[in-house]
């Protein structure tokens, strides 16, 4: 982290931090229920597992296509304007999706198109939001500020998943999508009031492509970074197929419907909340080693769905995996905060997100055909095995094992829920959501 980048940050968490936290809570409440609602809207319309996978793939495909452009734009334009524009697109697309579902008989292509528009908004939002959050606090305040931010957003995840499952059990999934659209509208209005006056004006340089190449050089020059992003391209794909496609199907056929699956996702959110609390106290010296070891438990939910476990036991393994991914996520963002210059953070973050979600559209689209070919339980066991294999492989990278927390850096930064995630100097986002 350069001295200039650190000096540009405000001396303490203030108005920007409060606005970002409030907006993230609001969108978290809406989005995590909407993810469940989208799957059950497809099933209600007569779709099968393959159709659920296609809609999930339509959401993630634009992330792959537009993330790098979104990262470069976020380092050229005021980040809060990029965030507001993305929220506006999310609001409109989710409102149209809700109207189609409530009106009855939505077509598969319509659901895919509107979900793709929502994913496009996320592609521009995610890099801008990460850069904005990181620039909103000083080094001295980062530990407390980011820990509180993480706990607040994970609390929203718990509430959003549980509320979404309960609402879908009681009413049409379209109403959950409408709530998500309203949440994006409110959050976008809050983000419009963010102040970027403390961030020095950026010189665009040689153009958008030149900025993207510069971000690539920053990314590829750090073995710990690109190796963990490559790892998470497989991990996120496996987790995404298991939880976006197979999870709702197992819930429908074995667990009793949407409500138990909502509880399981809420248990994962509770685990991430517990992990955030843990990481306010524990600051592992070998950030990336500690974080990578905590990726192994992400195989547990896939294995639990393969059995399948009773609802209580499934909630338990989801909770454990939530704790584990938070250890990775906090360690990862601490490394990013430590190593990446502020003026390049959105571009590097875009490569991180890009690598992490690159295989997600393929995985979700193929989930249905793979289930038909080998069976649902076998497909889920395959997801668990892939997570274990690639996580073991990344431990052979010396920088992952050896990268340590810089003595002068004491703060803990917030990690990603994407459940896509990656790592910088010693630990491991998310963004599925």
């Amino acid at each position: 982290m350069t001295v200039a980048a650190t000096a540009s940050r405000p001396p303490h968490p203030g108005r920007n931090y409060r606005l970002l936290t409030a907006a993230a809570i609001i969108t978290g409440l809406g989005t995590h229920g909407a993810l469940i609602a989208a799957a059950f809207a497809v099933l209600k319309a007569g779709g099968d597992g393959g159709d659920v996978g296609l809609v999930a793939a339509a959401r993630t495909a634009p992330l792959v296509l537009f993330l790098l452009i979104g990262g470069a734009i976020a380092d050229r334009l005021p980040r809060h304007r990029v965030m507001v524009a993305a929220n506006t697109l999310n609001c409109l697309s989710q409102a149209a999706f809700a109207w189609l579902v409530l009106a009855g008989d939505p077509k598969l292509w319509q659901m895919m198109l509107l979900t793709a528009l929502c994913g496009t908004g996320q592609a521009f939002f995610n890099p801008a939001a990460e850069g904005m959050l990181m620039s909103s606090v000083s080094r001295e305040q980062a530990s407390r500020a980011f820990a509180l931010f993480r706990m607040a957003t994970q609390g929203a995840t718990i509430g959003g998943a549980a509320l979404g499952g309960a609402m879908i059990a009681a009413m049409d999934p379209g109403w959950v999508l409408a709530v998500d659209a309203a949440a994006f509208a409110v959050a976008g209005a809050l983000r419009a009031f963010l102040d970027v006056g403390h961030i020095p004006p950026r010189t665009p340089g040689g153009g958008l492509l030149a900025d993207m190449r510069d971000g690539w050089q920053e990314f590829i020059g750090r073995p710990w970074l690109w190796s963990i992003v490559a790892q998470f391209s497989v991990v996120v794909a496996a987790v995404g197929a298991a939880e976006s496609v197979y999870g709702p199907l197992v819930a429908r056929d074995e667990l009793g419907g949407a409500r138990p699956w909502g509880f399981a996702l809420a248990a994962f959110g509770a685990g991430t909340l517990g992990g955030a609390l843990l990481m306010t106290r524990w600051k592992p010296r070998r950030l990336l080693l500690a974080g990578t070891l905590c990726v192994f438990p992400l195989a547990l939910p896939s294995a639990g769905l393969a059995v399948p476990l009773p609802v209580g036991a499934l909630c338990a393994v989801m909770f454990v995996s939530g704790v584990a991914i938070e250890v990775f996520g906090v360690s990862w963002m601490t490394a990013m905060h430590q190593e990446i210059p502020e003026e390049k953070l959105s571009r590097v973050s875009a490569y991180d997100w890009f690598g992490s979600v690159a295989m997600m559209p393929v995985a979700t689209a193929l989930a249905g055909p793979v289930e038909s070919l080998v069976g649902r339980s076998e497909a889920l066991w395959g997801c668990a095995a892939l997570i274990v294999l690639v996580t073991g492989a990344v431990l052979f990278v010396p920088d992952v094992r050896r990268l340590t927390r810089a003595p002068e850096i004491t703060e803990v930064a917030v990690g990603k829920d994407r459940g896509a995630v990656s790592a910088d100097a010693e630990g491991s986002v998310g963004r599925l959501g």
Side-chain angles (χ1 to χ4, degrees):
M1 181 68 64
T2 64
V3 174
T6 302
S8 70
R9 296 192 175 94
H12 57 80
R15 182 167 170 272
N16 275 3
Y17 174 79
R18 292 192 295 271
L19 287 171
L20 287 166
T21 303
I25 291 172
I26 292 168
T27 52
L29 286 170
T31 299
H32 287 86
L35 291 174
I36 307 172
F40 280 91
V42 175
L43 296 175
K44 180 186 175 184
D48 55 16
D51 295 330
V52 172
L54 288 174
V55 172
R59 184 184 184 91
T60 52
L63 287 172
V64 178
L65 294 174
F66 298 117
L67 260 172
L68 300 184
I69 297 173
I73 288 176
D75 277 340
R76 295 169 69 91
L77 300 178
R79 288 174 179 145
H80 69 307
R81 293 183 182 175
V82 178
M83 296 166 71
V84 171
N87 283 169
T88 301
L89 178 58
N90 290 144
C91 172
L92 295 175
S93 61
Q94 289 296 79
F97 196 174
W99 181 81
L100 281 175
V101 173
L102 291 172
D105 195 28
K107 308 302 182 193
L108 179 61
W109 70 266
Q110 295 172 325
M111 293 187 284
M112 291 178 64
L113 174 61
L114 292 170
T115 302
L117 289 175
C118 195
T120 300
Q122 289 303 114
F124 286 88
F125 176 85
N126 290 342
E130 185 154 313
M132 192 71 204
L133 180 63
M134 296 290 283
S135 69
S136 295
V137 297
S138 66
R139 175 174 301 183
E140 293 73 18
Q141 295 291 327
S143 177
R144 177 175 172 80
F146 285 126
L148 291 174
F149 180 90
R150 187 63 181 181
M151 285 186 279
T153 55
Q154 294 306 333
T157 298
I158 298 169
L163 180 63
M167 288 180 67
I168 295 167
M171 61 185 70
D172 195 287
W175 289 112
V176 182
L177 296 168
V179 168
D180 190 36
F184 276 119
V186 175
L190 290 175
R191 288 165 176 145
F193 291 100
L194 292 168
D195 180 14
V196 295
H198 65 283
I199 301 176
R202 294 177 173 84
T203 302
L208 195 64
L209 290 178
D211 284 354
M212 292 170 64
R213 286 194 298 268
D214 192 28
W216 171 254
Q217 292 303 320
E218 287 283 341
F219 173 79
I220 201 65
R222 294 174 168 82
W224 57 266
L225 181 56
W226 59 258
S227 63
I228 289 183
V229 170
Q231 169 203 7
F232 267 78
S233 68
V234 177
V235 171
V236 172
V239 171
E243 296 188 3
S244 297
V245 181
Y246 299 136
L249 295 174
V250 172
R252 182 193 65 181
D253 297 340
E254 307 287 347
L255 303 179
R259 186 189 296 266
W261 185 234
F263 289 151
L265 294 178
F268 176 84
T272 61
L273 182 60
L277 287 169
L278 170 64
M279 293 304 286
T280 61
R281 295 281 187 173
W282 184 41
K283 298 179 180 179
R285 182 170 175 270
R286 299 199 176 199
L287 291 166
L288 297 181
L289 177 60
T292 299
L293 289 174
C294 285
V295 178
F296 285 106
L298 295 187
L300 293 176
S302 296
L305 289 168
V307 174
L309 294 175
V311 175
L314 181 61
C315 287
V317 300
M318 292 287 279
F319 179 86
V320 170
S321 66
V323 173
I325 193 56
E326 191 67 11
V327 174
F328 169 80
V330 170
S331 299
W332 169 251
M333 288 304 293
T334 300
M336 293 278 283
H337 190 266
Q338 174 177 302
E339 298 294 326
I340 307 300
E342 189 274 339
E343 67 274 11
K344 298 181 180 180
L345 185 56
S346 288
R347 276 169 285 173
V348 174
S349 173
Y351 280 102
D352 171 16
W353 280 93
F354 176 83
S356 297
V357 304
M359 294 179 61
M360 182 74 158
V362 176
T364 52
L366 291 180
V370 170
E371 178 189 8
S372 300
L373 182 64
V374 303
R376 186 183 302 164
S377 179
E378 289 76 8
L380 283 162
W381 282 117
C383 291
L386 281 173
I387 293 169
V388 172
L389 287 173
V390 297
T391 302
V394 85
L395 289 174
F396 287 95
V397 178
D399 285 357
V400 172
R401 302 193 308 271
R402 298 171 186 169
L403 192 142
T404 58
R405 186 187 302 268
E408 71 277 10
I409 299 296
T410 58
E411 76 274 22
V412 175
V414 60
K416 300 180 188 111
D417 222 77
R418 287 108 182 260
V421 268
S422 2
D424 179 36
E426 238 202 278
S428 151
V429 66
R431 73 52 133 358
L432 319 180

